Amino acid sequence: MANLVIASNTKAMKKLDKSVKEKEWAFIEKLAKDHTAPGLHIEPIQKAVDPRVRTGRVDLHFRAILFKIDAKLGDDPTFIYMGTWPHDEANKLAERSKLRVNPINGVLEGIIGELDGEEDRKKRTVVPDPRGELNRAVTAQRPSYLGATFSLSDLTDRLGLDVDLAERALAAPDEDTVLDIAANAVGWQGSALLDLATGLHIETIREKHGFTDSPVDDTLDEDEQILKALEQPASKMQFTFVEDNEELRRVIEGGDFAAWRTFLHPEQRKYVEQNFNGAFRLSGGAGTGKTVVAIHRARRMAKADPTTRIVLTTYNKTLAADLKAALKTLDPDLPVAERLGEPGVYVDGIDALGYAVLNQTGDIGAAAEAVLGYRTELSHQRTNSDKVWRDVAQSVNSGLDAKLATPGFLENEYVAVILANKVTTLEQYAKVARPGRGVRLTRPQRIAVWKLVEAYRRQSRMDGSLSFPEILALAAEQLHLRVEAGKGFLVDHVLVDEAQDLHATHWTLLRHLVAEGSNDLFIAEDSHQRIYGQPVVLGRLGIKIVGRSRRLTLNYRTTAQNLHFAVSILSGAEYKDLEQGDESTSEYRSARLGPNPTLIECTDPADELDKVAELIKSWIEKDEIDPATIAVLTRGQNDRSQFVRALGERGVEARALDSSPATNGHVQVLTMHRSKGMEFSRVVLAGIDDAHVPSAATMRSVPEEEQPEALLRERSLLYVAASRARDALVVTWSGRKSALLGNSND
C-alpha cells in the first residue's frame, strides 16, 4: 500500500465538475490500495524535467499528475498527488513539473508546468515582468512599496522566495499590488509576501513559518530530503499525508472552501500541536482562524489519547452547535462524549455546561450555602433577571441613586463582585474589592446595593428559581467541593472559544473544572469582539497565563478592503485583553482582495428598505449569488422583523435567523449580536444611523461612569458585524450617519 500525500493550493489546476471529482476520488482510492494496479496506468514522462513525475489515468479524458518518491529497504513508495487535468494538458504540464526542496528554508515545493512560465505569470499580475533591460528600466522609474525596506537578497537569500516572484513583489508600486501577487503565489510564498507587506522583519517571518538555519541535510539523498521536507511546518501549507480514505474523500469533495480542515498555516499548526505548561491564550482579529485552531487542537488531543476527557465550549448554545458540526466535519470518527466527564470531546455552551455539572454532582445544598448563604435545590432557571432587578429596585426603599438602581448595573455587580467572591453577608460585601467595575461605591451605597441583593435572593427563594450566573457559581463551588472530597477533577483539558464574552462566574467554573497543569485551559479570544458584559482579568480569577499568550494576524475570511473598514471602526478606542494588556490591531492583514465597501445614504427608512431590496435583487439576478449566502444585519430584533417583511413585500424571499439554522434559498436577516461566529458572501449592515449605532436606549440604561465601557461594546458590535462579509460589504442608513463610521466615504 502506497503512502499518499495530497497537495493543496495548486493554482494551475482548473475546477473540476462533479462527475470528474467522483472519478478522481476513485483513482486516488485505488492508488492508495495498490499502486501497481494496471488500470491506474501510472506512467513516467519522457523528457521530463523531474524524473519523479508520473501521470495516472483518471478516465479517457483526464489524467492525474503525481510525483513518486521511492522508499528504501523495500518500504512502500510515497505518491504526491498534485491534481487532475485534461489528458493532453496533463502530459504537457507534467513534462515541466518538478518537486524541489527550497535550499534556503527547507520547504518542499511542487511546481506544476506553466505555473512558472512567463505567459502564465503575465496573466496573473498587473505588474510588468521585471526581467529584461526594458522592463528593468521601467521598474526603476516607479516607486516600490517594499523596496524602501527590503532588498532582492532579503527576499531570495534570507526567505527563499523565487527570484521572479521577489522581483515582481519589489516592482509593485502599492500594497494592493503586493497583495494581488501574494494571492496568486503558491503555499508559503504567498503567506510570506503578506507578512512582508505589513512590514514584519525577515527573522519574524522565518520564525512564524518554522524555517531553520540548516534547512537541508546533505547526508541524505534527494528522495530522503524530500520526505524530510514534508515534515516542515510550511510544507504542510501545501502538502498533507492522508491517513484514511474518509479523510481523503472529504479533502477532494470539500474543495477550496473547506481547505482549512487539512491545510493549516504554520503558525496555526504550531498552536494546534504545541503543549503548554499551563493555561494558554490565543488572541486574534475576526477571521484569523482562532476557532479553527481550537477545533484542530481538540481533535489532536483526542486522537493522541482516546481516554482523555476534553471539553470544547463557547459563549452560547448556537455557537456550540457550530463547533460540534465543524468538529464532526473535520473528523466524523472522532469520539464525541455525550456526558460531561466521559472520554472524548464534550461540546456545549458554557451555561449548559454549568447546568450539566449540577445535574451530575448530586445534592447542591452545601454549595448553595457557600455561594448564596442558604440551602436550596436545583429547580427552574430564571431567564429574565432584568425584570426581577427592576421590580426590587422599585419596591425596596434602598436609598440607592436612581442612576445605579438599574438592572444592568445591579446584575453586573451581582455577577462580577458578589457571586465571583461568594459574598453572602453585608460585612463581606463592605470589604470586598471591586476591581474593574468603573463606578466607585461609598459604604452607604454598598449598604443600599446589599438591600437590593437581599431582596433579589429573597425573591429567588420564594419562586424557587436560579439565574444562569447563580447556576454557574453553584457549579463551580460544587466542583471545588468535589475535589476537596478527594473525587478529583471532572475533565482533563478545556478549550474555550469566543472567550472575551465570558463573565466572572464562567471563568470560576472553568477554573474548577480542570486541574492546573499541562494543557489545562486553551483560551481563544479577541477583546475587540467583546459585545457582552464587563471586562475581566484572568489573573484575578485564578487563571494564570504568565507569558503564554500569542496573537494571530492573518485574516482568512474577509477581503483586505473589508478588513480595513472593520478595523477603522475601532480606531481611537483603547481596548484591554484578558490580561489587562493593550489590545492592538497592528499587523492585521488579509489574504484576499475585493471591492471597497459601499456606503449608501438614504432619504428615509422607506427609501433604505427600497435600496436594500434593489441591491439584493441585483446580486441574486445579475451576479447569480445564492440568496442563503447574503445577510442583512440589524441592530435590534424589531428592525430585523421589519426588514424580513419589507424584503418579502419587495419580492425578495427572506427569513429571520435566530436560534434556528439558516434557510436555503432565502436571504438571512439577523441581528448583529446573532451574527457572531458566522460568515456570509455578501453583507448589508442596515440602519447604521446615530440612533441605532450606538444604541441610544442601551447608552441611556448604564450609569455615566460605565458609558465609556458601553460605547466600547457598541464599537465592538459594529466591528463584529462588518467582519462577517467574505466578499461584498454594504452599509446603509437614513438620517444622520453613525459617528462610529468615522469619516468613511464611498
Side-chain angles (χ1 to χ4, degrees), residues 455-473:
Y456 179 88
R457 285 182 167 174
R458 191 161 50 246
Q459 182 62 42
S460 296
R461 297 181 72 171
M462 289 172 59
D463 59 24
S465 66
L466 292 169
S467 67
F468 270 121
E470 287 173 328
I471 289 172
L472 291 163

Side-chain angles (χ1 to χ4, degrees), residues 179 182-183 194 554-556 558-560 589-593:
L179 293 175
L194 286 170
L554 177 58
N555 184 297
Y556 296 89
T558 193
T559 63
R589 73 258 194 245
S590 172
R592 302 172 54 232
L593 291 175

Side-chain angles (χ1 to χ4, degrees), residues 225-261:
Q225 288 176 0
I226 288 171
L227 293 176
K228 184 176 180 181
L230 280 169
E231 300 173 5
Q232 273 270 29
S235 298
K236 294 176 183 178
M237 292 183 73
Q238 187 181 7
F239 304 98
T240 186
F241 279 100
V242 178
E243 299 178 3
D244 54 57
N245 286 346
E246 281 306 309
E247 182 177 6
L248 175 61
R249 181 185 288 276
R250 293 196 301 276
V251 171
I252 292 174
E253 293 180 349
D256 291 339
F257 186 72
W260 64 264
R261 299 174 190 165

Side-chain angles (χ1 to χ4, degrees), residues 336-399:
V336 175
E338 296 300 323
R339 181 178 168 85
L340 182 63
E342 291 180 346
V345 184
Y346 182 86
V347 187
D348 213 338
I350 193 164
D351 287 336
L353 191 64
Y355 203 76
V357 168
L358 294 187
N359 276 328
Q360 290 180 213
T361 51
D363 178 52
I364 65 170
E369 191 160 9
V371 173
L372 303 174
Y374 60 88
R375 300 181 74 88
T376 188
E377 297 179 353
L378 181 60
S379 52
H380 69 274
Q381 299 161 7
R382 174 184 293 156
T383 57
N384 190 357
S385 292
D386 277 9
K387 182 179 184 304
V388 180
W389 284 118
R390 189 173 293 107
D391 289 344
V392 299
Q394 292 173 353
S395 61
V396 175
N397 184 19
S398 67

Side-chain angles (χ1 to χ4, degrees), residues 394-591:
Q394 292 173 353
S395 61
V396 175
N397 184 19
S398 67
L400 186 63
D401 298 343
K403 67 178 184 179
L404 298 180
T406 63
F409 175 81
L410 293 171
E411 175 71 2
N412 285 333
E413 184 75 4
Y414 187 57
V415 173
V417 179
I418 295 170
L419 289 178
N421 292 283
K422 295 189 288 186
V423 173
T424 60
T425 68
L426 172 59
E427 289 73 22
Q428 292 173 328
Y429 182 54
K431 298 176 182 178
V432 71
R434 302 173 59 257
R437 286 293 291 127
V439 180
R440 299 186 65 178
L441 295 180
T442 63
R443 181 174 178 81
Q445 286 176 318
R446 291 201 187 205
I447 293 172
V449 169
W450 189 251
K451 286 181 181 179
L452 297 176
V453 169
E454 287 185 318
Y456 179 88
R457 285 182 167 174
R458 191 161 50 246
Q459 182 62 42
S460 296
R461 297 181 72 171
M462 289 172 59
D463 59 24
S465 66
L466 292 169
S467 67
F468 270 121
E470 287 173 328
I471 289 172
L472 291 163
L474 290 174
E477 182 64 15
Q478 192 80 332
L479 291 170
H480 171 66
L481 295 174
R482 169 191 168 94
V483 173
E484 281 195 336
K487 296 180 181 179
F489 288 87
L490 205 54
V491 302
D492 303 304
H493 309 288
V494 175
L495 300 96
V496 191
D497 194 29
E498 301 288 357
Q500 70 278 351
D501 282 319
L502 305 189
H503 55 60
T505 55
H506 287 134
W507 289 111
T508 305
L509 169 66
L510 294 175
R511 181 63 285 168
H512 289 296
L513 195 58
V514 61
E516 286 190 63
S518 177
N519 298 326
D520 55 347
L521 281 163
F522 182 89
I523 300 163
E525 65 96 17
D526 176 16
S527 294
H528 290 124
Q529 295 189 67
R530 185 174 57 76
I531 60 177
Y532 297 103
Q534 298 288 313
V536 300
V537 181
L538 293 182
R540 294 171 182 159
L541 298 168
I543 298 172
K544 302 165 187 173
I545 303 296
V546 196
R548 292 184 296 272
S549 182
R550 297 294 183 272
R551 184 163 65 108
L552 297 174
T553 57
L554 177 58
N555 184 297
Y556 296 89
R557 176 193 299 140
T558 193
T559 63
Q561 290 81 358
N562 291 346
L563 177 63
H564 175 75
F565 179 87
V567 169
S568 72
I569 294 167
L570 305 173
S571 178
E574 294 184 3
Y575 286 81
K576 298 291 184 181
D577 61 30
L578 293 177
E579 298 175 272
Q580 207 59 18
D582 292 333
E583 188 73 282
S584 171
T585 58
S586 65
E587 300 177 5
Y588 283 173
R589 73 258 194 245
S590 172

Side-chain angles (χ1 to χ4, degrees), residues 297-350:
R297 186 172 176 85
R299 176 184 186 248
R300 192 267 296 177
M301 291 193 297
K303 299 280 276 189
D305 181 3
T307 67
T308 197
R309 303 163 300 172
I310 301 168
V311 164
L312 177 60
T313 189
T314 187
Y315 180 76
N316 61 34
K317 64 180 182 180
T318 303
L319 294 176
D322 292 341
L323 285 178
K324 194 169 187 177
L327 192 64
K328 293 298 289 184
T329 300
L330 177 64
D331 189 345
D333 298 325
L334 194 71
V336 175
E338 296 300 323
R339 181 178 168 85
L340 182 63
E342 291 180 346
V345 184
Y346 182 86
V347 187
D348 213 338
I350 193 164

Side-chain angles (χ1 to χ4, degrees), residues 69-351:
I69 314 301
D70 289 320
K72 305 300 178 184
L73 302 176
D75 290 338
D76 293 323
T78 296
F79 282 92
I80 299 179
Y81 169 73
M82 300 299 297
T84 294
W85 285 265
H87 185 283
D88 293 345
E89 185 180 355
N91 287 330
K92 180 181 177 182
L93 289 172
E95 285 184 4
R96 301 185 60 193
S97 297
K98 56 185 174 182
L99 199 64
R100 70 182 184 196
V101 179
N102 190 300
I104 303 299
N105 53 43
V107 178
L108 185 64
E109 299 171 338
I111 300 169
I112 293 297
E114 292 183 351
L115 184 62
D116 270 4
E118 187 154 337
E119 292 305 314
D120 187 67
R121 181 171 58 253
K122 287 179 180 178
K123 294 175 186 176
R124 287 190 287 116
T125 178
V126 298
V127 178
D129 189 311
R131 293 183 297 183
E133 292 304 318
L134 178 60
N135 279 335
R136 288 187 188 278
V138 172
T139 300
Q141 297 173 9
R142 301 178 59 185
S144 170
Y145 181 75
L146 297 177
T149 308
F150 304 104
S151 66
L152 181 63
S153 64
D154 286 333
L155 275 55
T156 58
D157 300 341
R158 297 175 65 193
L159 272 184
L161 290 178
D162 290 342
V163 173
D164 65 316
L165 184 67
E167 288 180 328
R168 283 186 284 123
L170 288 174
D174 52 45
E175 183 180 18
D176 283 352
T177 308
V178 177
L179 293 175
D180 185 48
I181 296 171
N184 287 284
V186 176
W188 73 269
Q189 299 207 35
S191 174
L193 276 178
L194 286 170
D195 286 335
L196 288 168
T198 56
L200 290 191
H201 192 274
I202 294 288
E203 292 308 313
T204 302
I205 299 173
R206 287 177 57 86
E207 180 182 354
K208 288 178 65 174
H209 289 78
F211 299 161
T212 63
D213 293 330
S214 303
V216 179
D217 187 346
D218 292 331
T219 65
L220 303 177
D221 65 27
E222 286 189 3
D223 283 357
E224 289 172 325
Q225 288 176 0
I226 288 171
L227 293 176
K228 184 176 180 181
L230 280 169
E231 300 173 5
Q232 273 270 29
S235 298
K236 294 176 183 178
M237 292 183 73
Q238 187 181 7
F239 304 98
T240 186
F241 279 100
V242 178
E243 299 178 3
D244 54 57
N245 286 346
E246 281 306 309
E247 182 177 6
L248 175 61
R249 181 185 288 276
R250 293 196 301 276
V251 171
I252 292 174
E253 293 180 349
D256 291 339
F257 186 72
W260 64 264
R261 299 174 190 165
T262 304
F263 301 93
L264 297 171
H265 187 282
E267 194 173 21
Q268 292 176 317
R269 188 175 296 277
K270 177 172 67 175
Y271 303 132
V272 169
E273 298 176 350
Q274 189 172 347
N275 292 317
F276 303 102
N277 293 327
F280 177 82
R281 182 177 70 91
L282 182 65
S283 66
T288 53
K290 303 179 297 298
T291 301
V292 170
V293 171
I295 291 169
H296 275 267
R297 186 172 176 85
R299 176 184 186 248
R300 192 267 296 177
M301 291 193 297
K303 299 280 276 189
D305 181 3
T307 67
T308 197
R309 303 163 300 172
I310 301 168
V311 164
L312 177 60
T313 189
T314 187
Y315 180 76
N316 61 34
K317 64 180 182 180
T318 303
L319 294 176
D322 292 341
L323 285 178
K324 194 169 187 177
L327 192 64
K328 293 298 289 184
T329 300
L330 177 64
D331 189 345
D333 298 325
L334 194 71
V336 175
E338 296 300 323
R339 181 178 168 85
L340 182 63
E342 291 180 346
V345 184
Y346 182 86
V347 187
D348 213 338
I350 193 164
D351 287 336

